[in-house]
Amino acid sequence: MQTQLVIAAPHLDVQRGNKITADRIETAAAAAGFQVTAMDTTGKLNADILGAADIVHGFHAFKFYPVLQHMTEGASFIITITGTDINYDLNNSDRHPAVVEVLKKASLIHVFDEYMKQKIPVEFQAKTEVLPQSVPHVKVASAPEPPPFKLLIPAGIRRIKQIPEAVAACAKAREVISELTLTVVGPVLEEAEKTRLDELEAECSWLTIMPSVNQSSMQTLYESHHAVINHSSSEGQSSALLEAMAAARPALVSDIDGNKGVIQHGINGFVFNDQSSFVTALISLQDKKIYQALSDAALETARTRHNPAAEQRMITSWYRKFA
């Protein structure tokens, strides 16, 4: 008889990081022989489905808390920490109790890197495991020959992603690299941010704002750009960043733990902490030898440290252990 697995993740109706991660793990678990049901934790919850599960895998501790209220006391579940739950919710007085309750009752806590593990309260670290996200292997295409030098921000449009600040940094860089362009693609999660970006697009002929596209179309976007930007003020481990690296595109990322868990400055991308260091990094990327070295290292990181087979083996072993 197949083991019944419920994958409980937020916002499964929107093409964003949590959905990409949950969909990938659902596919891997099904391929390994589990009977998988996906449940949107920000939608209507089904206690009967949860009650029939042998194991539940939740994503985002705070948004999993309502699911926990529908589960049988003592039922087995794994919780994956995705970013804002540990970077924000745990330190928010209103949300802290819910996050701690989930961490306390979890059979296992999954984090993407050692930076995140160190933020887990010490009493729960013994049951916390580090496993980086994986990214599918794709056929790699060469980047287009510049000019213009094309930058891409693949991100949900919300304040935490600091996209207007990235636009300002690119505007500064254009004082040196005049043919630089920037494309932003992703779902609108906060209307106020979209309004601000629409205003910036009207002001900047070199800026393009695109709606969310499907995963196959994202591959085309990575191939048609030279590098990606992650300017977030808080991050878990960006699926989009990993996808870009799997397409052999180097990244310029803000100096936060989630980004530094993936990018080694000057090795497989650049880490910046202000406009000046951002512009310096972009100037360095104009050097063909530096660009190629970072591109090769980004691809190698994606294919080794973020290997889908390794992720499948580890996660399915957890399911079998706790089911």
Side-chain angles (χ1 to χ4, degrees):
M1 184 175 178
Q2 286 183 302
T3 300
Q4 301 295 308
L5 165 68
V6 171
I7 289 181
H11 308 295
L12 292 180
D13 59 337
V14 182
Q15 193 67 27
R16 56 193 287 189
N18 283 320
K19 175 175 171 56
I20 292 169
T21 302
D23 285 353
R24 183 185 70 251
I25 290 176
E26 178 182 354
T27 299
F34 292 85
Q35 183 65 46
V36 188
T37 301
M39 178 177 291
D40 191 332
T41 60
T42 46
K44 185 176 181 180
L45 303 178
N46 189 316
D48 291 337
I49 291 176
L50 291 166
D54 297 304
I55 181 73
V56 175
H57 187 167
F59 294 79
H60 195 290
F62 179 72
K63 292 178 181 177
F64 184 78
Y65 181 72
V67 180
L68 184 60
Q69 307 309 109
H70 284 73
M71 293 173 61
T72 304
E73 184 68 27
S76 295
F77 72 93
I78 293 167
I79 189 68
T80 291
I81 301 301
T82 62
T84 53
D85 46 358
I86 201 71
N87 292 328
Y88 172 75
D89 297 328
L90 183 65
N91 301 310
N92 178 285
S93 58
D94 293 330
R95 298 186 174 197
H96 176 89
V99 175
V100 169
E101 184 74 4
V102 170
L103 298 179
K104 178 181 179 181
K105 292 187 175 180
S107 305
L108 181 142
I109 300 165
H110 165 218
V111 296
F112 298 135
D113 59 39
E114 288 291 342
Y115 287 110
M116 294 175 77
K117 183 172 181 177
Q118 295 311 310
K119 296 179 181 180
I120 298 292
V122 64
E123 62 267 34
F124 306 128
Q125 290 211 2
K127 61 176 179 179
T128 300
E129 297 285 347
V130 176
L131 176 66
Q133 292 201 81
S134 77
V135 60
H137 293 182
V138 296
K139 185 178 180 180
V140 175
S142 298
E145 282 292 324
F149 196 79
K150 300 179 180 180
L151 298 175
L152 177 68
I153 298 179
I157 295 175
R158 54 180 175 147
R159 180 84 288 269
I160 203 169
K161 295 297 183 178
Q162 298 193 140
I163 300 173
E165 288 84 347
V167 173
C170 287
K172 186 69 175 177
R174 279 177 55 83
E175 295 176 7
V176 182
I177 309 165
S178 61
E179 294 187 88
L180 181 151
T181 68
L182 174 63
T183 300
V184 178
V185 58
V188 177
L189 304 178
E190 295 174 4
E191 288 295 337
E193 281 297 285
K194 178 59 164 61
T195 298
R196 177 59 182 139
L197 286 178
D198 287 343
E199 293 170 352
L200 289 171
E201 186 179 28
E203 297 169 8
C204 305
S205 61
W206 47 271
L207 172 64
T208 301
I209 309 298
M210 292 180 57
S212 181
V213 301
N214 60 33
Q215 283 303 102
S216 60
S217 297
M218 281 304 304
Q219 180 63 26
T220 301
L221 280 173
Y222 294 129
E223 290 177 358
S224 63
H225 289 77
H226 297 95
V228 297
I229 299 171
N230 183 304
H231 205 300
S232 293
S233 60
S234 175
E235 194 71 72
Q237 191 172 83
S238 167
S239 297
L241 178 57
L242 298 179
E243 290 167 2
M245 294 170 70
R249 298 301 184 264
L252 296 90
V253 302
S254 54
D255 188 2
I256 57 174
D257 290 346
N259 286 338
K260 291 188 294 184
V262 178
I263 298 299
Q264 294 175 276
H265 182 70
I267 304 297
N268 60 358
F270 286 118
V271 179
F272 61 86
N273 50 37
D274 54 24
Q275 275 195 9
S276 177
S277 58
F278 177 86
V279 174
T280 298
L282 268 179
I283 292 171
S284 294
L285 278 183
Q286 308 304 297
D287 184 300
K288 289 186 177 180
K289 288 184 178 180
I290 292 175
Y291 181 89
Q292 191 60 53
L294 267 61
S295 174
D296 291 344
L299 178 60
E300 179 68 12
T301 300
R303 289 188 171 177
T304 54
R305 187 169 185 267
H306 302 279
N307 184 276
E311 179 184 59
Q312 182 191 47
R313 284 194 300 271
M314 182 60 72
I315 286 183
T316 55
S317 74
W318 294 341
Y319 294 161
R320 294 187 178 99
K321 178 178 180 180
F322 294 109

